[in-house]
Amino acid sequence: MSTEKKDLLAALGPRLRQLRRRHDLTLAELAEQTGINESTLSRLEGGTRKPTLEMLLPLAEVYAVPLDELVGAPRTGDPRIHLKPVTRDGMTFVPLSRPGGVQAHKLLIPPRPDTEPQLSTHEGFEWVYVLSGRLRLLLGDQRVILKPGEAAEFDTHVPHWLGPDDDRTVELLILFGAQGERAHLKARTT
């Protein structure tokens, strides 16, 4: 086996773990959704078990990524990104970049009038740009309203929540760096 293929296989476990964490799934939840034994999933993520196609197909389906992206297959020269929206917690994420490094998504957040904002924290750094609607950003003790054309960036270790400020869906671009990578853009403060 070539060194390139060995490197590709060695990177698969960490990629699978990163996707599971990005989707906020435990091994038990993933096992339930895929029908793959929890210990098998753990060994796949740890690199001690080589995956079969029967294992990769349900994982690609749960993570809503094409199989070639799941395994990190070399690019074929087609620069298009196949947009496959994912709905999570009532929000629709449309990927605008391939997995790895800083991720770009278009995010649609519909109004949720009977839901109290729940601030959360996680690894990473986010940059948001409002395309339409009014975004309410709760960041620690701050409450910020962003209108179309405005941007914000913040460390996701700070408790935060994003949602519409009124009864309309808010549409935004979001860049997210899982390990705290920053987009090389700076938001102006007012």
Side-chain angles (χ1 to χ4, degrees), residues 11 36 48 52 57 75 187:
I36 300 170
T48 60
T52 64
L57 289 173
R75 299 228 172 108

Side-chain angles (χ1 to χ4, degrees), residues 2-165:
S2 72
T3 303
E4 184 179 327
K5 288 180 186 172
K6 286 180 186 175
D7 290 346
L8 192 63
L9 286 173
L12 182 58
R15 181 180 294 107
L16 292 174
R17 181 175 289 117
Q18 181 185 32
L19 281 166
R20 178 176 57 81
R21 288 179 176 164
R22 189 177 305 147
H23 284 80
D24 284 333
L25 293 171
T26 64
L27 283 170
E29 292 167 333
L30 184 59
E32 186 177 311
Q33 290 184 31
T34 61
I36 300 170
N37 182 300
E38 191 175 336
S39 67
T40 300
L41 290 169
S42 178
R43 288 182 295 166
L44 284 172
E45 288 184 2
T48 60
R49 169 99 191 238
K50 289 192 177 20
T52 64
L53 186 58
E54 288 80 13
M55 293 175 194
L56 293 174
L57 289 173
L59 288 169
E61 184 177 350
V62 167
Y63 297 140
V65 297
L67 191 56
D68 60 338
E69 286 183 26
L70 182 70
V71 299
R75 299 228 172 108
T76 59
D78 184 353
R80 291 176 293 181
I81 295 168
H82 302 283
L83 308 176
K84 299 226 191 259
V86 175
T87 300
R88 188 173 53 214
D89 299 326
M91 299 180 283
T92 302
F93 294 82
V94 181
L96 301 175
S97 62
R98 288 178 167 53
V102 175
Q103 296 292 295
H105 290 85
K106 178 178 173 183
L107 179 58
L108 301 166
I109 310 173
R112 297 172 281 182
D114 16 331
T115 305
E116 281 296 312
Q118 297 292 318
L119 279 70
S120 64
T121 63
H122 51 86
E123 290 293 319
F125 201 86
E126 287 187 23
W127 175 88
V128 296
Y129 178 84
V130 180
L131 296 169
S132 68
R134 291 171 49 96
L135 176 70
R136 181 166 41 135
L137 169 62
L138 303 180
L139 187 61
D141 294 334
Q142 293 182 319
R143 179 179 185 263
V144 180
I145 305 301
L146 293 119
K147 297 175 285 206
E150 293 186 311
E153 63 179 351
F154 55 93
D155 184 331
T156 57
H157 289 101
V158 176
H160 61 281
W161 178 88
L162 303 168
D165 186 49

